[in-house]
Amino acid sequence: MDGIIDRLEQLQADFASAVGDALSIIADLPDAEVMRLLDASGRVLRSNDALQVAATVQVRERSEACAASG
């Protein structure tokens, strides 16, 4: 189970590094590359949103289960 969390933490570190690299050159990118950057970062954001929603659902379900049993 911890493997996936470790992977996500490594992914976050890698992403933060890539963001830093992108920020340093974004002004010099041609229009098509800026559009690709927006597309790629949007996909990352949507994937993260899906993970956040799924985890939030788990918290809510577990909380409701505790309230119902208590």
Side-chain angles (χ1 to χ4, degrees):
M1 181 73 80
D2 288 340
I4 190 63
I5 296 167
D6 291 340
R7 287 175 50 201
L8 287 168
E9 288 175 341
Q10 183 60 54
L11 180 61
Q12 189 281 324
D14 293 343
F15 185 69
S17 176
V19 167
D21 293 345
L23 289 173
S24 70
I25 64 163
I26 195 168
D28 298 325
L29 293 175
D31 293 349
E33 292 299 299
V34 172
M35 295 305 293
R36 285 185 62 206
L37 185 143
L38 287 169
D39 184 52
S41 63
R43 286 191 312 269
V44 169
L45 182 60
R46 288 186 295 279
S47 295
N48 184 67
D49 286 348
L51 185 57
Q52 290 285 304
V53 168
T56 300
V57 167
Q58 284 299 308
V59 169
R60 181 177 178 179
E61 288 177 355
R62 293 174 189 196
S63 178
E64 289 172 352
C66 288
S69 67

